[in-house]
Amino acid sequence: MKEPLMTSSMYQSALITDLVSHALNYDVDRVVVVLEDGRNQSARELRDLISRYSQVFAALAPKPLRAAVIAKNRVEVPAVMNALTFAGIVSTSLHPMGAIEDYLYVIEDAEVDLLVYDADHFEGIASQLKDRAPRLKHFVAIGTEGVGPSVNRMAEAFLPQPLIGPPAEPNDMARIAYSGGTTGKPKGIMVTHRTMVTSTMIQLTEWEWPAEIRHLVCAPLSHAGASVLTAILLKGGAMVVAPGFEPVAVMQAIEKHRITSVLMVPTMVLALIDHPRFGEFDLSSLEVIFYGASAFPAARLKDAIEKLGPVFFQFYGQSEAPMSVSVLRRAEHLIDDPLRLASCGRPTPWNRVALMDDDMRPVADGEPGEICVQGPLLMAGYLNKPEETEQALAGGWLHTGDVAIKSPDGFLRIVDRKKDMIVTGGFNVFAREVEDVLATHPAVRQAAVIGIPDPKWGETVKAVVVTDPAQTVTAEELIALVRERKGAVQAPKSIEFLDAIPLSPLGKPDKKALRAIYAG
Protein backbone atom coordinates (compact mmCIF):
# COMPACT_ATOMS: atom_id res chain seq x y z
CA MET A 1 0.00 0.00 0.00
CA LYS A 2 1.27 3.43 -0.91
CA GLU A 3 2.21 5.60 2.05
CA PRO A 4 0.07 8.78 2.35
CA LEU A 5 1.77 11.99 1.37
CA MET A 6 2.55 13.94 4.53
CA THR A 7 3.26 17.66 4.37
CA SER A 8 4.39 20.04 7.08
CA SER A 9 1.09 21.92 6.91
CA MET A 10 -1.09 18.84 7.48
CA TYR A 11 -0.56 18.82 11.22
CA GLN A 12 0.18 22.46 11.86
CA SER A 13 -1.78 23.92 14.73
CA ALA A 14 -3.99 26.97 14.24
CA LEU A 15 -2.56 30.46 14.03
CA ILE A 16 -4.16 33.51 15.64
CA THR A 17 -5.34 34.61 12.17
CA ASP A 18 -7.17 31.28 11.83
CA LEU A 19 -9.04 31.88 15.09
CA VAL A 20 -10.07 35.43 14.16
CA SER A 21 -11.17 34.39 10.67
CA HIS A 22 -13.22 31.51 12.08
CA ALA A 23 -14.88 33.74 14.67
CA LEU A 24 -15.94 36.36 12.11
CA ASN A 25 -17.23 33.97 9.45
CA TYR A 26 -20.31 32.69 11.27
CA ASP A 27 -23.43 34.54 12.43
CA VAL A 28 -22.02 37.48 10.51
CA ASP A 29 -24.93 39.79 11.30
CA ARG A 30 -24.52 39.54 15.07
CA VAL A 31 -23.32 42.66 16.91
CA VAL A 32 -19.73 42.34 18.13
CA VAL A 33 -18.83 45.94 19.08
CA VAL A 34 -21.10 48.55 20.69
CA LEU A 35 -20.05 52.20 20.95
CA GLU A 36 -21.21 54.74 23.47
CA ASP A 37 -22.65 56.92 20.69
CA GLY A 38 -25.15 54.17 19.84
CA ARG A 39 -23.41 52.78 16.76
CA ASN A 40 -22.96 49.04 16.47
CA GLN A 41 -20.50 46.96 14.47
CA SER A 42 -21.45 43.52 13.19
CA ALA A 43 -19.15 40.54 12.71
CA ARG A 44 -19.42 41.10 8.95
CA GLU A 45 -18.45 44.77 9.27
CA LEU A 46 -15.47 43.99 11.50
CA ARG A 47 -14.37 41.18 9.18
CA ASP A 48 -14.59 43.40 6.11
CA LEU A 49 -12.83 46.28 7.86
CA ILE A 50 -9.94 43.99 8.82
CA SER A 51 -9.73 42.81 5.22
CA ARG A 52 -9.68 46.29 3.72
CA TYR A 53 -7.23 47.66 6.30
CA SER A 54 -4.88 44.71 5.76
CA GLN A 55 -4.88 45.42 2.03
CA VAL A 56 -4.03 49.07 2.78
CA PHE A 57 -1.03 48.06 4.88
CA ALA A 58 0.14 45.38 2.43
CA ALA A 59 0.02 47.89 -0.46
CA LEU A 60 2.37 50.39 1.20
CA ALA A 61 5.68 50.64 -0.65
CA PRO A 62 8.14 49.65 0.49
CA LYS A 63 6.07 47.16 2.45
CA PRO A 64 6.52 47.73 6.19
CA LEU A 65 7.83 44.90 8.34
CA ARG A 66 7.17 46.33 11.81
CA ALA A 67 4.38 48.65 12.96
CA ALA A 68 3.63 50.65 16.10
CA VAL A 69 0.09 51.65 17.04
CA ILE A 70 -0.85 54.52 19.37
CA ALA A 71 -4.53 55.24 19.93
CA LYS A 72 -7.24 55.90 22.46
CA ASN A 73 -10.19 53.52 22.65
CA ARG A 74 -12.03 53.74 19.33
CA VAL A 75 -13.84 51.27 17.11
CA GLU A 76 -11.06 51.06 14.50
CA VAL A 77 -8.36 49.80 16.89
CA PRO A 78 -9.30 46.07 16.97
CA ALA A 79 -9.56 46.12 13.17
CA VAL A 80 -6.17 47.85 12.84
CA MET A 81 -4.38 45.46 15.20
CA ASN A 82 -5.77 42.39 13.47
CA ALA A 83 -5.27 43.85 9.99
CA LEU A 84 -1.55 44.28 10.64
CA THR A 85 -1.29 40.59 11.52
CA PHE A 86 -3.25 39.57 8.42
CA ALA A 87 -0.91 41.76 6.34
CA GLY A 88 2.09 39.87 7.76
CA ILE A 89 3.36 42.89 9.72
CA VAL A 90 4.64 42.41 13.26
CA SER A 91 3.05 45.04 15.49
CA THR A 92 3.66 46.63 18.85
CA SER A 93 1.58 49.07 20.89
CA LEU A 94 2.71 52.42 22.26
CA HIS A 95 0.96 53.15 25.53
CA PRO A 96 -1.31 56.22 25.27
CA MET A 97 0.13 57.56 28.56
CA GLY A 98 3.76 57.16 27.51
CA ALA A 99 6.31 59.88 26.75
CA ILE A 100 7.90 60.78 23.43
CA GLU A 101 11.29 59.41 24.57
CA ASP A 102 9.62 56.07 25.36
CA TYR A 103 8.15 55.96 21.87
CA LEU A 104 11.48 56.80 20.23
CA TYR A 105 13.18 53.98 22.15
CA VAL A 106 10.57 51.40 21.08
CA ILE A 107 10.63 52.52 17.43
CA GLU A 108 14.39 52.14 17.29
CA ASP A 109 14.59 48.93 19.32
CA ALA A 110 11.81 47.17 17.39
CA GLU A 111 12.93 48.58 14.02
CA VAL A 112 9.47 50.04 13.41
CA ASP A 113 8.90 51.48 9.94
CA LEU A 114 5.12 52.14 10.10
CA LEU A 115 3.25 54.28 12.64
CA VAL A 116 -0.53 53.92 12.85
CA TYR A 117 -1.88 56.66 15.08
CA ASP A 118 -5.13 58.13 16.38
CA ALA A 119 -5.20 61.51 14.63
CA ASP A 120 -7.82 62.94 16.98
CA HIS A 121 -5.49 62.60 19.97
CA PHE A 122 -1.92 62.00 18.78
CA GLU A 123 -1.41 64.22 15.73
CA GLY A 124 1.16 66.23 17.67
CA ILE A 125 3.01 63.09 18.73
CA ALA A 126 3.03 61.84 15.12
CA SER A 127 4.46 65.17 13.97
CA GLN A 128 7.26 64.96 16.54
CA LEU A 129 8.04 61.37 15.58
CA LYS A 130 8.19 62.33 11.92
CA ASP A 131 10.92 64.84 12.78
CA ARG A 132 12.81 62.67 15.26
CA ALA A 133 12.42 59.05 14.10
CA PRO A 134 14.06 58.65 10.68
CA ARG A 135 13.42 54.91 10.77
CA LEU A 136 9.69 55.56 10.24
CA LYS A 137 8.86 55.34 6.51
CA HIS A 138 5.06 55.36 6.70
CA PHE A 139 2.44 57.23 8.74
CA VAL A 140 -1.22 56.17 8.63
CA ALA A 141 -3.91 58.05 10.55
CA ILE A 142 -6.97 56.61 12.26
CA GLY A 143 -9.55 59.33 11.77
CA THR A 144 -8.88 62.58 9.96
CA GLU A 145 -5.90 62.98 7.65
CA GLY A 146 -2.84 64.76 9.05
CA VAL A 147 0.80 63.76 9.09
CA GLY A 148 -0.40 60.54 7.52
CA PRO A 149 -3.30 59.74 5.18
CA SER A 150 -6.53 58.40 6.67
CA VAL A 151 -6.73 54.61 6.78
CA ASN A 152 -10.49 54.82 6.23
CA ARG A 153 -10.06 56.90 3.10
CA MET A 154 -7.34 54.58 1.79
CA ALA A 155 -9.53 51.55 2.53
CA GLU A 156 -12.19 52.85 0.14
CA ALA A 157 -9.98 51.74 -2.75
CA PHE A 158 -10.21 48.07 -1.71
CA LEU A 159 -13.04 45.55 -1.75
CA PRO A 160 -13.38 43.08 1.15
CA GLN A 161 -11.65 39.77 0.51
CA PRO A 162 -11.82 36.48 2.44
CA LEU A 163 -9.82 36.69 5.65
CA ILE A 164 -6.80 34.47 5.03
CA GLY A 165 -3.65 34.99 7.01
CA PRO A 166 -0.20 34.90 5.44
CA PRO A 167 1.87 31.68 5.62
CA ALA A 168 3.43 31.39 9.05
CA GLU A 169 4.64 28.87 11.59
CA PRO A 170 3.30 28.70 15.16
CA ASN A 171 6.71 29.78 16.46
CA ASP A 172 6.86 32.83 14.19
CA MET A 173 6.66 36.20 15.93
CA ALA A 174 3.25 37.86 15.62
CA ARG A 175 3.59 40.83 17.96
CA ILE A 176 6.06 42.53 20.27
CA ALA A 177 4.92 43.52 23.76
CA TYR A 178 7.11 45.89 25.74
CA SER A 179 7.64 45.43 29.46
CA GLY A 180 7.03 48.28 31.84
CA GLY A 181 10.72 49.05 32.26
CA THR A 182 10.53 48.96 36.07
CA THR A 183 14.13 47.73 36.33
CA GLY A 184 15.67 49.61 33.38
CA LYS A 185 14.90 50.06 29.70
CA PRO A 186 11.72 48.27 28.53
CA LYS A 187 12.31 44.87 26.96
CA GLY A 188 10.65 43.82 23.72
CA ILE A 189 8.86 40.53 24.42
CA MET A 190 8.59 38.38 21.30
CA VAL A 191 5.02 37.05 21.23
CA THR A 192 4.47 34.16 18.81
CA HIS A 193 1.34 32.83 17.12
CA ARG A 194 1.66 29.84 19.47
CA THR A 195 1.65 32.13 22.52
CA MET A 196 -1.41 34.07 21.33
CA VAL A 197 -3.36 30.91 20.44
CA THR A 198 -2.51 29.29 23.78
CA SER A 199 -3.54 32.40 25.72
CA THR A 200 -6.87 32.44 23.85
CA MET A 201 -7.37 28.71 24.40
CA ILE A 202 -6.86 29.14 28.14
CA GLN A 203 -9.41 31.97 28.18
CA LEU A 204 -11.88 29.74 26.34
CA THR A 205 -11.40 26.70 28.57
CA GLU A 206 -10.48 28.05 32.00
CA TRP A 207 -12.14 31.45 32.31
CA GLU A 208 -15.69 31.68 33.65
CA TRP A 209 -17.67 33.57 31.02
CA PRO A 210 -21.31 34.64 31.34
CA ALA A 211 -23.83 32.75 29.19
CA GLU A 212 -24.53 36.05 27.41
CA ILE A 213 -21.35 38.08 27.02
CA ARG A 214 -21.71 41.87 27.04
CA HIS A 215 -18.17 42.81 27.91
CA LEU A 216 -17.16 46.35 28.84
CA VAL A 217 -13.75 47.53 27.63
CA CYS A 218 -12.45 50.37 29.81
CA ALA A 219 -8.73 49.52 29.72
CA PRO A 220 -6.69 50.67 26.69
CA LEU A 221 -7.75 48.71 23.59
CA SER A 222 -4.18 48.82 22.34
CA HIS A 223 -3.11 46.82 25.42
CA ALA A 224 -5.12 44.80 27.96
CA GLY A 225 -8.48 46.00 26.65
CA ALA A 226 -8.24 43.90 23.48
CA SER A 227 -6.54 40.90 25.08
CA VAL A 228 -9.83 39.01 25.37
CA LEU A 229 -11.32 40.09 22.02
CA THR A 230 -10.60 36.84 20.15
CA ALA A 231 -12.10 34.71 22.91
CA ILE A 232 -15.21 36.92 23.04
CA LEU A 233 -15.64 36.69 19.26
CA LEU A 234 -15.28 32.90 19.33
CA LYS A 235 -17.93 32.71 22.07
CA GLY A 236 -20.34 34.89 20.11
CA GLY A 237 -20.20 37.78 22.57
CA ALA A 238 -20.08 41.54 22.14
CA MET A 239 -17.85 44.31 23.50
CA VAL A 240 -18.95 47.73 24.63
CA VAL A 241 -16.08 50.17 24.10
CA ALA A 242 -15.69 52.96 26.66
CA PRO A 243 -13.37 55.88 25.84
CA GLY A 244 -11.28 55.02 28.89
CA PHE A 245 -11.57 54.43 32.62
CA GLU A 246 -13.49 56.99 34.65
CA PRO A 247 -15.40 55.53 37.62
CA VAL A 248 -18.77 57.23 37.10
CA ALA A 249 -18.74 56.70 33.33
CA VAL A 250 -17.91 53.02 33.83
CA MET A 251 -20.75 52.53 36.32
CA GLN A 252 -23.14 54.35 33.98
CA ALA A 253 -22.09 52.08 31.10
CA ILE A 254 -22.60 48.95 33.20
CA GLU A 255 -26.12 50.09 34.07
CA LYS A 256 -27.02 51.31 30.57
CA HIS A 257 -25.76 48.30 28.62
CA ARG A 258 -26.46 45.65 31.28
CA ILE A 259 -22.82 44.65 31.17
CA THR A 260 -22.13 41.06 32.23
CA SER A 261 -18.32 41.05 32.29
CA VAL A 262 -15.44 43.50 32.56
CA LEU A 263 -11.66 43.29 32.86
CA MET A 264 -9.96 45.59 35.37
CA VAL A 265 -6.78 45.99 37.35
CA PRO A 266 -7.28 46.19 41.15
CA THR A 267 -6.79 49.97 41.26
CA MET A 268 -9.80 50.33 38.94
CA VAL A 269 -11.97 48.17 41.20
CA LEU A 270 -10.93 50.21 44.24
CA ALA A 271 -11.71 53.44 42.41
CA LEU A 272 -15.26 52.14 41.84
CA ILE A 273 -16.06 50.89 45.32
CA ASP A 274 -14.44 53.90 47.03
CA HIS A 275 -16.18 56.44 44.83
CA PRO A 276 -18.68 58.65 46.69
CA ARG A 277 -21.30 57.93 44.00
CA PHE A 278 -20.97 54.16 44.27
CA GLY A 279 -24.44 52.91 45.09
CA GLU A 280 -26.23 55.30 42.74
CA PHE A 281 -26.03 52.84 39.83
CA ASP A 282 -27.53 49.43 39.14
CA LEU A 283 -24.56 47.11 38.70
CA SER A 284 -26.54 43.91 39.27
CA SER A 285 -26.04 42.68 35.70
CA LEU A 286 -22.33 42.07 36.38
CA GLU A 287 -21.63 38.35 36.53
CA VAL A 288 -17.85 38.40 36.46
CA ILE A 289 -15.02 40.89 36.97
CA PHE A 290 -11.79 39.55 35.53
CA TYR A 291 -8.87 41.09 37.40
CA GLY A 292 -5.11 40.73 37.44
CA ALA A 293 -1.83 42.52 36.63
CA SER A 294 -1.05 43.56 40.22
CA ALA A 295 -1.69 42.58 43.82
CA PHE A 296 -5.16 43.00 45.31
CA PRO A 297 -4.85 43.27 49.12
CA ALA A 298 -7.02 40.60 50.72
CA ALA A 299 -8.85 43.02 53.01
CA ARG A 300 -9.76 45.30 50.10
CA LEU A 301 -10.78 42.34 47.93
CA LYS A 302 -13.12 41.29 50.74
CA ASP A 303 -14.59 44.82 50.70
CA ALA A 304 -15.12 44.55 46.94
CA ILE A 305 -16.85 41.17 47.19
CA GLU A 306 -19.14 42.47 49.92
CA LYS A 307 -20.10 45.46 47.74
CA LEU A 308 -20.29 43.81 44.31
CA GLY A 309 -20.98 40.17 45.14
CA PRO A 310 -19.09 36.93 44.35
CA VAL A 311 -18.22 38.03 40.82
CA PHE A 312 -14.42 38.14 40.99
CA PHE A 313 -12.21 35.92 38.81
CA GLN A 314 -8.44 36.37 39.00
CA PHE A 315 -5.93 35.55 36.27
CA TYR A 316 -2.21 35.58 36.94
CA GLY A 317 0.42 35.90 34.24
CA GLN A 318 2.82 38.38 32.70
CA SER A 319 3.69 39.56 29.22
CA GLU A 320 6.26 36.76 28.99
CA ALA A 321 3.42 34.26 29.68
CA PRO A 322 0.30 36.28 28.96
CA MET A 323 -2.90 36.29 30.95
CA SER A 324 -3.21 32.89 32.57
CA VAL A 325 -0.44 30.94 34.24
CA SER A 326 -2.95 30.35 37.03
CA VAL A 327 -6.55 31.32 37.83
CA LEU A 328 -8.64 31.82 40.96
CA ARG A 329 -12.28 31.11 40.16
CA ARG A 330 -15.24 32.92 41.62
CA ALA A 331 -16.22 30.17 44.05
CA GLU A 332 -12.60 29.90 45.23
CA HIS A 333 -12.69 33.44 46.62
CA LEU A 334 -13.38 32.45 50.23
CA ILE A 335 -14.39 35.72 51.85
CA ASP A 336 -13.45 34.68 55.39
CA ASP A 337 -10.07 33.23 54.43
CA PRO A 338 -7.46 36.02 54.01
CA LEU A 339 -4.81 33.61 52.74
CA ARG A 340 -7.12 32.38 50.00
CA LEU A 341 -8.06 35.94 49.00
CA ALA A 342 -4.33 36.68 48.77
CA SER A 343 -3.88 33.74 46.40
CA CYS A 344 -3.47 33.93 42.62
CA GLY A 345 -5.14 30.54 42.26
CA ARG A 346 -3.94 27.24 40.91
CA PRO A 347 -2.00 26.65 37.66
CA THR A 348 -4.04 25.95 34.56
CA PRO A 349 -3.52 22.48 33.02
CA TRP A 350 -1.93 24.09 29.95
CA ASN A 351 1.19 25.11 31.90
CA ARG A 352 3.82 23.34 33.98
CA VAL A 353 4.53 25.39 37.09
CA ALA A 354 7.11 24.90 39.82
CA LEU A 355 8.30 27.00 42.76
CA MET A 356 12.11 26.99 42.84
CA ASP A 357 14.93 28.35 44.95
CA ASP A 358 17.91 30.26 43.56
CA ASP A 359 19.61 26.95 42.66
CA MET A 360 16.53 25.86 40.66
CA ARG A 361 15.51 23.22 43.17
CA PRO A 362 11.80 22.81 43.95
CA VAL A 363 10.84 24.14 47.37
CA ALA A 364 8.52 22.40 49.79
CA ASP A 365 4.89 23.44 50.27
CA GLY A 366 4.75 26.42 52.61
CA GLU A 367 8.22 27.64 51.62
CA PRO A 368 8.79 30.66 49.36
CA GLY A 369 10.09 30.01 45.85
CA GLU A 370 10.14 31.74 42.49
CA ILE A 371 7.29 30.86 40.13
CA CYS A 372 8.82 29.12 37.11
CA VAL A 373 6.79 28.11 34.07
CA GLN A 374 7.05 25.81 31.05
CA GLY A 375 4.62 25.31 28.19
CA PRO A 376 3.34 26.72 24.90
CA LEU A 377 2.22 29.98 26.57
CA LEU A 378 5.76 31.32 26.86
CA MET A 379 7.38 34.08 24.85
CA ALA A 380 10.14 33.33 22.34
CA GLY A 381 12.52 35.63 24.21
CA TYR A 382 13.49 39.29 24.46
CA LEU A 383 14.11 41.15 21.22
CA ASN A 384 17.80 41.97 20.67
CA LYS A 385 18.64 40.95 24.24
CA PRO A 386 20.24 37.48 24.23
CA GLU A 387 21.72 37.78 27.72
CA GLU A 388 18.42 38.82 29.30
CA THR A 389 16.67 36.04 27.36
CA GLU A 390 19.14 33.44 28.60
CA GLN A 391 18.66 34.66 32.16
CA ALA A 392 14.85 34.67 31.96
CA LEU A 393 14.72 31.20 30.40
CA ALA A 394 17.59 29.61 32.33
CA GLY A 395 17.36 25.86 32.71
CA GLY A 396 14.45 25.61 30.30
CA TRP A 397 12.01 27.48 32.57
CA LEU A 398 10.59 30.98 32.44
CA HIS A 399 11.66 32.71 35.64
CA THR A 400 8.78 35.07 36.41
CA GLY A 401 10.50 37.02 39.20
CA ASP A 402 7.45 36.44 41.43
CA VAL A 403 8.04 34.74 44.78
CA ALA A 404 5.13 32.59 45.98
CA ILE A 405 4.16 30.03 48.58
CA LYS A 406 2.08 26.97 47.64
CA SER A 407 -0.53 25.58 50.01
CA PRO A 408 -1.05 21.80 50.34
CA ASP A 409 -4.17 22.07 48.13
CA GLY A 410 -2.18 23.70 45.34
CA PHE A 411 -3.08 27.40 45.65
CA LEU A 412 -0.26 29.84 44.99
CA ARG A 413 0.12 32.98 47.09
CA ILE A 414 2.51 35.60 45.74
CA VAL A 415 4.41 37.28 48.56
CA ASP A 416 6.62 39.61 46.49
CA ARG A 417 8.56 40.35 43.35
CA LYS A 418 12.14 39.15 43.80
CA LYS A 419 13.37 42.66 42.98
CA ASP A 420 10.97 44.17 45.55
CA MET A 421 12.04 41.92 48.42
CA ILE A 422 13.54 43.99 51.23
CA VAL A 423 16.66 42.72 53.03
CA THR A 424 16.97 44.46 56.38
CA GLY A 425 19.61 43.39 58.89
CA GLY A 426 20.01 40.08 57.04
CA PHE A 427 16.28 39.25 57.20
CA ASN A 428 14.00 39.00 54.16
CA VAL A 429 10.84 41.10 54.24
CA PHE A 430 8.15 40.51 51.62
CA ALA A 431 6.49 43.83 50.78
CA ARG A 432 3.20 42.22 49.74
CA GLU A 433 2.70 40.67 53.18
CA VAL A 434 3.23 44.03 54.92
CA GLU A 435 0.87 45.73 52.45
CA ASP A 436 -1.81 43.13 53.16
CA VAL A 437 -1.60 43.77 56.91
CA LEU A 438 -1.80 47.55 56.45
CA ALA A 439 -4.87 47.12 54.22
CA THR A 440 -6.74 45.37 57.06
CA HIS A 441 -7.03 48.66 58.94
CA PRO A 442 -10.43 50.20 58.16
CA ALA A 443 -8.90 53.62 57.53
CA VAL A 444 -6.48 52.35 54.87
CA ARG A 445 -7.57 52.35 51.25
CA GLN A 446 -4.24 51.58 49.59
CA ALA A 447 -0.69 50.86 50.70
CA ALA A 448 2.66 50.32 49.02
CA VAL A 449 5.81 49.15 50.77
CA ILE A 450 9.40 49.66 49.62
CA GLY A 451 12.89 49.29 50.99
CA ILE A 452 15.01 52.40 51.37
CA PRO A 453 18.78 52.51 51.97
CA ASP A 454 19.95 52.50 55.57
CA PRO A 455 23.59 52.71 56.72
CA LYS A 456 23.08 50.29 59.62
CA TRP A 457 20.54 47.74 58.34
CA GLY A 458 21.21 47.91 54.60
CA GLU A 459 17.53 48.65 53.99
CA THR A 460 14.60 49.64 56.14
CA VAL A 461 10.91 49.13 55.50
CA LYS A 462 8.96 52.20 54.41
CA ALA A 463 5.23 52.35 53.68
CA VAL A 464 3.19 54.90 51.78
CA VAL A 465 -0.52 54.88 52.57
CA VAL A 466 -3.73 56.38 51.20
CA THR A 467 -6.45 56.69 53.83
CA ASP A 468 -10.21 57.11 53.83
CA PRO A 469 -10.87 60.85 54.22
CA ALA A 470 -13.66 60.08 56.67
CA GLN A 471 -11.35 58.21 59.07
CA THR A 472 -8.12 58.94 60.91
CA VAL A 473 -5.15 56.79 61.76
CA THR A 474 -1.60 57.59 62.86
CA ALA A 475 1.66 56.19 61.59
CA GLU A 476 2.33 54.79 65.05
CA GLU A 477 -0.93 52.84 65.00
CA LEU A 478 -0.15 51.27 61.63
CA ILE A 479 3.41 50.41 62.62
CA ALA A 480 2.10 48.76 65.78
CA LEU A 481 -0.45 46.80 63.73
CA VAL A 482 2.25 45.31 61.52
CA ARG A 483 4.53 44.64 64.49
CA GLU A 484 1.72 42.74 66.20
CA ARG A 485 0.82 40.68 63.13
CA LYS A 486 4.24 40.12 61.54
CA GLY A 487 6.90 41.01 64.09
CA ALA A 488 9.34 43.86 64.58
CA VAL A 489 11.51 43.10 61.54
CA GLN A 490 8.64 43.57 59.08
CA ALA A 491 7.14 46.60 60.80
CA PRO A 492 7.73 49.81 58.78
CA LYS A 493 10.24 52.20 60.29
CA SER A 494 8.37 55.11 58.68
CA ILE A 495 5.02 55.75 57.02
CA GLU A 496 4.11 58.52 54.60
CA PHE A 497 0.49 59.52 54.00
CA LEU A 498 -0.34 60.44 50.39
CA ASP A 499 -3.46 61.51 48.53
CA ALA A 500 -2.68 58.91 45.85
CA ILE A 501 -0.01 56.31 45.16
CA PRO A 502 1.76 56.92 41.84
CA LEU A 503 0.76 54.40 39.19
CA SER A 504 2.55 53.05 36.15
CA PRO A 505 0.86 53.44 32.73
CA LEU A 506 -0.56 49.93 33.26
CA GLY A 507 -2.27 50.94 36.51
CA LYS A 508 0.15 49.23 38.91
CA PRO A 509 1.67 50.96 41.96
CA ASP A 510 4.89 52.48 40.63
CA LYS A 511 7.49 51.38 43.16
CA LYS A 512 10.32 52.57 40.93
CA ALA A 513 8.92 56.10 41.27
CA LEU A 514 8.48 55.68 45.03
CA ARG A 515 12.07 54.55 45.45
CA ALA A 516 13.24 57.54 43.45
CA ILE A 517 11.27 59.84 45.77
CA TYR A 518 12.29 58.31 49.10
CA ALA A 519 15.69 56.72 48.49
CA GLY A 520 17.43 59.89 49.66
Side-chain angles (χ1 to χ4, degrees):
M1 179 180 291
K2 187 177 180 180
E3 291 291 330
L5 179 64
M6 300 176 66
T7 64
S8 60
S9 62
M10 283 179 61
Y11 300 100
Q12 179 174 294
S13 58
L15 305 174
I16 193 64
T17 46
D18 296 321
L19 299 188
V20 173
S21 178
H22 176 84
L24 294 175
N25 275 314
Y26 72 92
D27 297 338
V28 295
D29 293 323
R30 76 186 192 277
V31 173
V32 294
V33 179
V34 178
L35 297 180
E36 281 296 287
D37 63 8
R39 290 181 296 152
N40 294 333
Q41 188 179 62
S42 69
R44 185 200 312 276
E45 290 169 329
L46 178 55
R47 179 195 67 189
D48 291 351
L49 200 58
I50 292 172
S51 171
R52 293 165 67 195
Y53 283 179
S54 68
Q55 293 176 73
V56 168
F57 297 137
L60 296 173
K63 182 184 174 182
L65 301 177
R66 303 272 175 87
V69 179
I70 180 168
K72 293 291 186 83
N73 282 6
R74 52 188 302 163
V75 69
E76 298 94 341
V77 173
V80 164
M81 299 297 292
N82 280 287
L84 290 166
T85 307
F86 274 94
I89 301 170
V90 175
S91 65
T92 189
S93 295
L94 303 178
H95 200 284
M97 293 175 62
I100 189 72
E101 298 301 328
D102 300 329
Y103 303 154
L104 289 167
Y105 170 79
V106 169
I107 288 167
E108 186 62 30
D109 187 63
E111 301 179 3
V112 170
D113 48 8
L114 163 64
L115 179 71
V116 185
Y117 70 97
D118 177 353
D120 293 342
H121 298 93
F122 297 101
E123 184 66 35
I125 292 292
S127 181
Q128 291 184 63
L129 291 176
K130 187 173 184 178
D131 293 336
R132 298 182 61 186
R135 186 179 289 279
L136 289 174
K137 306 303 181 188
H138 304 284
F139 293 80
V140 174
I142 305 172
T144 56
E145 189 162 333
V147 170
S150 166
V151 67
N152 287 336
R153 182 185 60 77
M154 298 168 73
E156 293 172 358
F158 298 93
L159 294 176
Q161 301 294 327
L163 275 187
I164 301 174
E169 296 292 329
N171 288 336
D172 287 347
M173 184 165 56
R175 292 182 185 168
I176 303 171
Y178 273 83
S179 65
T182 55
T183 56
K185 285 290 187 182
K187 296 185 286 289
I189 297 160
M190 295 187 286
V191 180
T192 65
H193 282 271
R194 182 199 67 241
T195 299
M196 295 178 71
V197 168
T198 303
S199 181
T200 301
M201 180 179 66
I202 293 173
Q203 291 172 21
L204 291 170
T205 58
E206 305 301 322
W207 286 32
E208 296 176 316
W209 292 97
E212 184 178 351
I213 300 173
R214 292 187 299 278
H215 184 85
L216 178 65
V217 176
C218 52
L221 259 176
S222 56
H223 286 70
S227 58
V228 295
L229 174 60
T230 304
I232 290 172
L233 293 176
L234 287 166
K235 282 188 165 289
M239 291 201 309
V240 176
V241 180
F245 179 79
E246 193 285 316
V248 171
V250 165
M251 291 187 284
Q252 289 173 333
I254 293 171
E255 180 179 74
K256 175 181 176 181
H257 298 285
R258 305 302 296 158
I259 294 298
T260 58
S261 66
V262 63
L263 187 152
M264 294 182 174
V265 297
T267 52
M268 291 179 177
V269 178
L270 294 177
L272 289 187
I273 66 172
D274 290 338
H275 198 278
R277 294 187 62 187
F278 181 84
E280 292 183 21
F281 306 96
D282 180 5
L283 309 181
S284 61
S285 62
L286 267 180
E287 296 181 39
V288 59
I289 295 176
F290 301 112
Y291 72 98
S294 63
F296 204 144
R300 299 304 334 264
L301 180 54
K302 181 178 180 180
D303 291 343
I305 295 172
E306 289 174 340
K307 291 183 176 181
L308 289 165
V311 298
F312 288 89
F313 178 102
Q314 183 183 173
F315 59 91
Y316 161 71
Q318 53 186 204
S319 298
E320 292 87 344
M323 303 302 285
S324 307
V325 169
S326 64
V327 297
L328 185 68
R329 294 175 170 82
R330 286 174 291 185
E332 294 169 342
H333 284 70
L334 304 182
I335 195 167
D336 294 321
D337 185 345
L339 289 181
R340 175 63 62 80
L341 290 184
S343 169
C344 63
R346 290 183 282 199
T348 73
W350 313 102
N351 303 301
R352 293 181 293 280
V353 176
L355 301 188
M356 296 187 180
D357 62 19
D358 290 339
D359 296 318
M360 293 193 63
R361 295 174 301 196
V363 301
D365 288 354
E367 294 295 322
E370 183 180 14
I371 299 176
C372 298
V373 188
Q374 291 180 332
L377 185 64
L378 304 189
M379 66 170 181
Y382 295 121
L383 184 69
N384 303 324
K385 289 180 170 55
E387 293 182 3
E388 287 90 336
T389 296
E390 184 178 356
Q391 183 179 7
L393 302 178
W397 291 83
L398 170 69
H399 296 257
T400 65
D402 289 319
V403 179
I405 294 171
K406 186 172 76 170
S407 65
D409 51 359
F411 287 90
L412 306 178
R413 178 170 58 88
I414 296 174
V415 293
D416 218 339
R417 292 285 293 165
K418 285 187 75 172
K419 66 177 184 291
D420 289 341
M421 188 176 70
I422 302 163
V423 182
T424 178
F427 292 95
N428 295 338
V429 174
F430 296 119
R432 168 94 188 258
E433 294 195 325
V434 179
E435 291 163 355
D436 282 352
V437 173
L438 291 170
T440 63
H441 194 286
V444 173
R445 284 187 168 180
Q446 289 180 270
V449 170
I450 58 172
I452 58 174
D454 183 85
K456 179 178 181 180
W457 303 108
E459 286 184 296
T460 58
V461 181
K462 183 176 186 65
V464 293
V465 171
V466 177
T467 59
D468 184 339
Q471 302 190 57
T472 58
V473 64
T474 66
E476 291 73 21
E477 288 177 86
L478 294 177
I479 292 170
L481 175 66
V482 179
R483 184 183 296 113
E484 178 186 350
R485 300 273 186 90
K486 303 296 295 184
V489 171
Q490 301 202 54
K493 298 298 183 288
S494 60
I495 292 181
E496 196 88 14
F497 293 96
L498 302 179
D499 293 332
I501 291 173
L503 301 178
S504 73
L506 299 180
K508 303 178 183 181
D510 192 341
K511 293 193 175 183
K512 181 180 179 181
L514 289 174
R515 292 189 192 98
I517 294 170
Y518 296 110

